[in-house]
Every structure is written in structure tokens, then in C-alpha cells.
Amino acid sequence: MSDRPVRHPWSKHLPSGFAAPALWDSIVIGSGMGGMTCAAMLAALGQRVLVLEQHYVPGGFTHSFKRGKYHWDVGVHAVGEVTERSMPGRLLAGLTGRRLQWASLGPVYDAFVFPDGLQLGFPDNPQAFRALLHDTFPDGHTAIDAYFARVREVSAAMRSYYLARLAPPSAHVLTDMFTKTARRAFGETAKHALDRLTDDTRLKTVLAAQWGYHGATPSRASLAIQALVTKHFQWGGYYPVGGSSTIAQELLQTVADAGGYTRISADVAQIVLENGAAVGVRMRDGEEIRARRVISAAGVSSTVQRLLPREVADTRWAASVRALPPAPAHVCLYLGFKGDIRSAGAGAYNQWYYDTWDTELDAWDIADPERIADAPVLYCSFPSLKDPAYDPGPEQRHTGEVVTFVPWDRFSGWLGTRWKRRGDDYDSFKKVLQDRLLEQFLKKLPGLRSMVDHVELSTPLSTDTFVRPMGGSIYGILPTPERFANPYLRPRSKIAGLFFAGSEVATVGVIGAMMGGALAAAAVDPVGAARMLRGL
């Protein structure tokens, strides 16, 4: 028998016999990585937290789904900084009672194939990575060393930068004085920085080759975000043992153990304001739920445009957030295999296939269904090979995913249509994309062709239906210098009682969203959060 007050941490309704307070300590909107981290931290600090998730599965981009005997993740392909050598790893371990375990992807976590046959496996060691680049680009040692120096500089400045984000928006002029190094790196584009280091196009492409982890090409990406990706994976990539759904299971269990709960299929229509302060939420069905504070982990831009009353959405600060563009949308080909996929070239590491040296080609040109060329970049992942707890069974069932970016406006015309009922024109277009992407992938790994047993394509409309980011973006607001110069993308909002969590108040990706959740919890309870983090 479990001594936990709630044995399963989420459902559509509060469990029978659950004593819900008339006034929750905090309501968290959205159960992505930022929302779950914030809720778990506040729970660990003694709060009763209600998490509201509009999807019927919690976890945001960390959730998984299945078709028959096949299981796939939707956004967790490789995560760095999850061991206890780093603060994010120690925080995750603390918030889950060390129940959440991580498996290394191996000595190489990312393998790249470039147009002229150059192949590079990025190793899980910073010294080995530097040596690999030195060997590959013997004339680029000075540029390579200078790039890693910038990475160290940015990494060292991030603690002060994150602390400064805890100040209210009105204090940004003062806090900017203490974050000059970080602000300089956030204010410079990756392209500008790389152009200053070298004229070698191939070297610049390799240094920026992981831009897909944040979604902005070098000419638009902040240098800091590119440097932070390099730093994030310097000790390799990891995958959650048991699959990505275990992240929600463990973090939301922490919320439930403290007397909180997570409601799924719980669609928030609006944040309720009284006398200019957030006091609760109004659900789509009209139900009102009250709390001492509201934390939106639905994205700052999405909150401004969808959840706040018109009189707030039209203010100058809200307009400045609304003007920031989203990161690109994507399609993902979900594959099921029967057979020994390792023998055909699959592995636990991620595989990137570049058909161009031009890192400014960010989206697959799919304007004309009759003339669709290959996507410029494919990102391939085999989650069943990453998870040591996975059992392929006697049929050797395995899973794969193929991701590439696409223009959102090619799909936005179908907004408002129902999932799986979007019309024949959509279905035929989707089938063309699915077949084209599958053929391109199988040209890269032809040995897998005979093993393909299941094929399914998700489009940005699936992202919109289940996660609801602006513009179908997997990364939220595009990580440009303009984004990081905006003073309102921080956990403490301009509205009393309203806080923001998630990647848009920190940096992108799973750990970026997690840090945004931690910042939100620290903004709500600075003393308690400081005590917790010091203990780690």
C-alpha cells in the first residue's frame, strides 16, 4: 500500500474525497516542463498547487503517445545538464526524489553528415569536441578556441542574468548594470560573432550546426543562445529511463504528494482580474477557480494574446511581446519498425543530415505540392534505442522520428478544423509530405526500408491542437536579440498576482523551460526558493 495521499497525480476531475481548498495557493496554467517545474518547486515549498492542462495528456512537449505497440515522444530527443554535476540535474533530482533517472546516449550524442561527405560525431566531452574540431579544421584552431572562449564567457554570466530576471520589469534599467556580459552576448547574432572569428564557411556551419535545438538560423539567433546549446551538451545528451512521459509522472506526483493536483482536459478561457490583480481563472465551461496567484506556463505571448482581457492585451507592454515572432513550426515523421534497426545504421545518438552548407535555409519548401524538393536538414531520432527500460519484444519493434522545419503559413489556412477531420485537401497534402519525407529519410538509411511497419506524419496543426503555441512553434518566441532585449519576458509580470513560467522567460528547450519554471517559483517565493537552491 502506498502512503501517498494521491496515487495517480492527474485526471479530468479532482479525485473522490479530495478536499480542494476554496482558495488554492497557486494555479499553474499548462503542464509543460516550465509549468511542472514551477508547480513541483512550489509544492516542495509547502504550497497547494492546482495545475490545469487543456490536453488529455499532461507534459506539454515532454508527453508521449502510442499507436498499438509503438510509443513515441514528441519533444524529448536529447537533454543535457541532467546529471548531478549541474544545477538543473540536481534540481530535477531533488524535485522527483531521485525517482527520475536518465540514460546517456553514448560517447557520441549527435552525428552529422554534411553535403561533401564530411561526417562528424559530437562527443560527450568538451576536450574531445575541441580536439575533433582541431583535427577537422587544422587552419581553424584560433577561431575554434575563440568560439569556446565565448561559450565559457556566456556560461559564466548566466547566473547573474537569471537572478536579474527575478526583478520586476520596471527594474530592468538597474539590473542591466549587473548583466553586461550576458546582455552583450544576447544582443549579438551568432552569424555576426562567427563572421568575426573566421572566413571558413564550413567551419561556421559546423559550429552553428545545432541551431535546430533552438530554432533560429545564425543570422537571427542570439549568439548567447547558440553558445548555451554548445555548453548544454558539453557532457553529452541523455534520455529519461522509461520514456519522456516519466518526467510528468514524477514531477506531478510531487505536486500531488503536497496536497495539490493536476486536472487534464481543463481548458482555461481567461485569467480573472479584479482591481488589476490576478485572482483566478475562468474555464471554458464557465467554472471559476480562485487562487492567491496565477502562474501561466502557456507562453508569455500566448497568454497575452489569448488569456488576458482585451484592456490588458492592448497595453504597450503586451503589444511589445505580441510583436515578437515565433520560432519555426515543424513536421515530424513517426516511424515504427520491425527488425534489428541497429544493423541498418540506427543508434541511440541523434542523426542530422545536411543537404546544404547554408545554415540560413531554415524551412522545407513545400509551397507547391507538385514540386517538393528534399528538405535542407533532417533530424532523426530513435527513442526505443535510447531507453534502457524499453523491451522491443520478439518482433524487435522499434521507433524512429524524422523532424524538419516548415513554414507555418502553409498550414494556417486549416486552423479551426478538427483533429483527424481537417478535410480531403489537407489529407492529400499531408500524404504528399509524408511520402516525400519518408523517401528522403530512407535514402539516408536504406537498410531500414524493409523494416518499416508504421508511418505517420504530424504537422504544425497537431502542435497547435495539443500544445497551442503561437504559430505552431515548438520553441515559443524566436530566440533573437530583440527577444532577449524585451524587459517583459520575465517571471514577474506587470499584473499583480500574475507570473510567467517556461522557456519564454528563460532560454529554449526542455532545460530552458525548466529554468523558466524555477525562476517563476523563485519570483513567487524568493526566500524559500533560495533556501532550496542553496541546499542543492
Side-chain angles (χ1 to χ4, degrees):
M1 288 288 291
S2 171
D3 59 358
R4 286 176 166 170
V6 176
R7 297 190 66 182
H8 191 69
W10 65 77
S11 65
K12 280 189 176 183
H13 307 287
L14 296 177
S16 176
F18 186 94
L23 189 70
W24 291 89
D25 292 320
S26 296
I27 288 174
V28 174
I29 304 171
S31 67
M33 193 65 188
M36 293 191 295
T37 300
C38 178
M41 276 189 69
L42 293 177
L45 294 172
Q47 291 198 19
R48 295 192 71 184
V49 182
L50 177 65
V51 180
L52 298 172
E53 170 56 54
Q54 62 91 23
H55 189 12
Y56 55 79
V57 179
F61 283 117
T62 72
H63 87 267
S64 62
F65 73 99
K66 64 180 180 179
R67 296 285 186 267
K69 296 183 179 181
Y70 295 111
H71 294 249
W72 297 270
D73 56 64
V74 299
V76 178
H77 305 112
V79 185
E81 299 182 279
V82 290
T83 68
E84 295 196 40
R85 75 165 71 206
S86 67
M87 174 56 78
R90 292 194 294 274
L91 178 58
L92 266 179
L95 292 178
T96 62
R98 290 179 168 76
R99 298 183 302 272
L100 181 60
Q101 299 294 309
W102 297 85
S104 169
L105 302 189
V108 168
Y109 67 92
D110 268 357
F112 292 81
V113 178
F114 293 100
D116 62 1
L118 175 65
Q119 299 187 31
L120 293 176
F122 283 17
D124 63 348
N125 179 290
Q127 290 75 35
F129 188 29
R130 184 193 300 269
L132 171 70
L133 295 179
H134 279 187
D135 290 344
T136 307
F137 299 98
D139 296 329
H141 290 198
T142 300
I144 293 164
D145 292 347
Y147 175 73
F148 282 113
R150 292 300 302 271
V151 171
R152 289 193 301 273
E153 178 185 73
V154 171
S155 301
M158 288 308 295
R159 181 175 180 177
S160 296
Y161 178 80
Y162 281 140
L163 289 173
R165 305 303 287 174
L166 294 174
S170 58
H172 75 91
V173 175
L174 178 63
T175 58
D176 283 353
M177 297 171 56
F178 302 99
T179 59
K180 290 182 179 179
T181 299
R183 285 193 302 108
R184 184 170 62 249
F186 278 115
E188 183 180 11
T189 67
K191 182 179 187 304
H192 182 263
L194 293 173
D195 285 346
R196 290 171 58 194
L197 294 178
T198 180
D199 294 327
D200 188 333
T201 299
R202 295 165 77 252
L203 174 57
K204 287 188 285 189
T205 294
V206 169
L207 292 176
Q210 292 174 301
W211 70 267
Y213 281 129
H214 56 71
T217 60
S219 67
R220 305 189 72 187
S222 160
L223 165 65
I225 204 69
Q226 184 63 51
L228 287 172
V229 166
T230 301
K231 182 252 184 183
H232 179 68
F233 289 114
Q234 66 177 346
W235 296 106
Y238 294 80
Y239 186 81
V241 176
S244 60
S245 62
T246 60
I247 300 173
Q249 181 67 50
E250 300 301 348
L251 285 173
L252 296 180
Q253 187 65 61
T254 296
V255 175
D257 287 348
Y261 203 64
T262 298
R263 282 177 54 184
I264 56 173
S265 299
D267 198 353
V268 175
Q270 192 171 70
I271 295 168
V272 177
L273 304 183
E274 289 182 358
N275 300 317
V279 296
V281 298
R282 182 175 300 110
M283 308 302 289
R284 191 70 58 186
D285 62 5
E287 177 189 7
E288 285 198 7
I289 309 173
R290 297 280 172 142
R292 292 182 173 85
R293 66 195 60 81
V294 176
I295 300 112
S296 178
V300 182
S301 182
S302 185
T303 302
V304 164
Q305 299 188 55
R306 294 169 171 165
L307 299 180
L308 290 174
R310 177 59 61 86
E311 62 268 21
V312 175
D314 287 343
T315 59
R316 181 177 298 178
W317 76 267
S320 76
V321 172
R322 197 164 55 243
L324 296 170
H330 75 291
V331 291
C332 183
L333 192 65
Y334 294 100
L335 301 171
F337 302 101
K338 287 184 181 179
D340 180 10
I341 62 173
R342 286 187 189 273
S343 67
Y349 54 89
N350 302 302
Q351 301 181 27
W352 303 65
Y353 292 96
Y354 271 85
D355 281 356
T356 175
W357 285 102
D358 185 358
T359 50
E360 295 303 317
L361 292 177
D362 61 338
W364 189 17
D365 184 358
I366 54 174
D368 183 356
E370 302 296 325
R371 299 181 179 181
I372 296 180
D374 284 351
V377 185
L378 297 184
Y379 177 81
C380 308
S381 169
F382 300 92
S384 61
L385 297 181
K386 299 177 181 186
D387 181 7
Y390 177 79
D391 179 9
E395 294 181 297
Q396 294 194 73
R397 292 180 182 266
H398 287 284
T399 51
E401 299 162 358
V402 183
V403 181
T404 198
F405 292 122
V406 291
W408 164 246
D409 59 10
R410 191 62 183 84
F411 299 88
S412 59
W414 286 288
L415 269 177
T417 57
R418 292 181 61 190
W419 180 51
K420 292 190 175 181
R421 291 178 175 83
R422 304 195 192 278
D424 293 341
D425 55 343
Y426 171 78
D427 291 341
S428 61
F429 178 54
K430 181 177 173 179
K431 184 64 164 59
V432 170
L433 299 183
Q434 175 178 297
D435 292 346
R436 192 72 189 83
L437 198 59
L438 176 62
E439 189 58 31
Q440 183 180 351
F441 167 73
L442 292 175
K443 286 180 181 176
K444 307 298 183 184
L445 292 168
L448 290 173
R449 187 178 295 273
S450 63
M451 303 181 197
V452 175
D453 180 56
H454 179 92
V455 183
E456 181 173 345
L457 185 78
S458 75
T459 76
L461 294 173
S462 303
T463 305
D464 178 79
T465 295
F466 297 117
V467 190
R468 293 188 185 169
M470 301 308 299
S473 171
I474 194 173
Y475 292 130
I477 296 172
L478 194 70
T480 61
E482 293 75 21
R483 162 183 164 163
F484 294 106
N486 188 294
Y488 305 110
L489 297 179
R490 58 183 67 220
R492 190 181 299 274
S493 83
K494 290 277 287 183
I495 299 170
L498 175 62
F499 299 81
F500 295 127
S503 64
E504 292 183 355
V505 302
T507 55
V508 302
V510 173
I511 297 300
M514 175 192 157
M515 293 306 298
L519 287 174
V524 169
D525 185 353
V527 175
R531 188 183 305 117
M532 175 187 291
L533 294 174
R534 278 199 302 269
L536 296 173

